[in-house]
Amino acid sequence: FNTRPFLDSYQKNGKQIRKTLKIAGEAVTEWDFSSTHLRLAYHIEGHRAKSNLYDLRKHLAPELNVRAVIKKLINTALNAKSQNDAIHSVSQWIARNRKEDDTAFPDFKKKDLKFILSAALKEHSAVKGYFCSDAGMKLMFYDSEICFGVLSDFTEKGKPFMPVHDSFICKASEGGFLQDRMKATWKLVTINYG
């Protein structure tokens, strides 16, 4: 039985559409991990992460403080082997987006991205060793362990749910159970691997 067409359809839809889903006739709720990989790095290193890890306002002029670009650059840098690789990749991503809609983002140059990355490294100095060091695979492993733990908890209880990247959809009535399991599994993984 091939579930891929169904999984593709609900995973590709935005949160607004996913909110209309029903499980066994019941409305759903969706919970996710915020800034998963960067937050994992903080927890593994024993540091508390602030709530908005993509906020670089104290380091950047307003024209450079574009959240979508900062988020993309930080996450790319966590997976890249070098600063040049991260900057090149994000530069290409911006060009593709601007080709579709030239108002999507400012026309950032590589020097702008280098400055933004420098600001991110200052802001996240407690975990700067994770940037541009090919740490992404390690962080993805931890992420998958957390997701597997949540999946196992729901499966063992016979509760239906749907994973979406770093979030989970379940019956609204089981949202509390989901939040508890997400927190417990996060803590277990970061303690075991930290």
Side-chain angles (χ1 to χ4, degrees):
F1 177 66
N2 183 2
T3 60
R4 186 123 181 107
F6 173 71
L7 293 175
D8 279 350
S9 66
Y10 91 82
Q11 288 191 346
K12 287 181 181 175
N13 288 321
K15 278 191 175 190
Q16 295 299 26
I17 292 173
R18 291 196 303 262
K19 285 180 183 180
T20 66
L21 296 173
K22 300 222 182 271
I23 296 178
E26 185 180 325
V28 298
T29 186
E30 182 173 356
W31 290 92
D32 70 350
F33 291 108
S34 174
S35 314
T36 307
H37 289 170
L38 186 53
R39 196 168 300 283
L40 272 170
Y42 270 92
H43 284 256
I44 290 164
E45 293 303 314
H47 300 290
R48 220 172 143 78
K50 67 182 191 173
S51 60
N52 183 356
L53 293 173
Y54 303 127
D55 182 2
L56 300 180
R57 282 179 289 182
K58 71 181 181 184
H59 303 286
L60 298 175
E63 64 272 10
L64 292 179
N65 194 34
V66 178
R67 187 180 192 281
V69 173
I70 292 168
K71 179 179 178 180
K72 184 71 171 179
L73 186 56
I74 285 174
N75 286 310
T76 301
L78 288 170
N79 286 283
K81 292 182 180 179
S82 71
Q83 286 190 18
N84 286 339
D85 288 348
I87 290 166
H88 179 72
S89 176
V90 174
S91 180
Q92 288 182 323
W93 174 77
I94 289 171
R96 280 192 308 274
N97 279 282
R98 285 183 55 80
K99 196 175 207 177
E100 292 174 20
D101 175 5
D102 66 352
T103 64
F105 301 111
D107 189 17
F108 286 119
K109 305 296 182 212
K110 286 187 176 182
K111 67 179 176 68
D112 299 320
L113 296 174
K114 188 173 185 175
F115 188 80
I116 294 169
L117 183 54
S118 174
L121 293 172
K122 281 182 200 161
E123 181 67 21
H124 301 295
S125 61
V127 293
K128 69 180 176 187
Y130 285 78
F131 287 89
C132 303
S133 66
D134 204 18
M137 291 302 288
K138 179 166 88 169
L139 295 170
M140 283 186 256
F141 171 74
Y142 300 147
D143 185 3
S144 69
E145 289 289 292
I146 292 166
C147 290
F148 182 75
V150 175
L151 295 170
S152 296
D153 290 343
F154 266 79
T155 302
E156 285 171 13
K157 297 283 186 190
K159 296 177 181 281
F161 71 103
M162 297 180 287
V164 182
H165 309 295
D166 62 351
S167 70
F168 302 92
I169 299 170
C170 68
K171 292 178 181 179
S173 62
E174 295 173 348
F177 177 76
L178 174 58
Q179 286 181 292
D180 289 345
R181 300 320 316 144
M182 289 172 71
K183 288 176 188 172
T185 307
W186 179 281
K187 186 175 181 181
L188 181 67
V189 169
T190 56
I191 287 170
N192 283 341
Y193 294 108

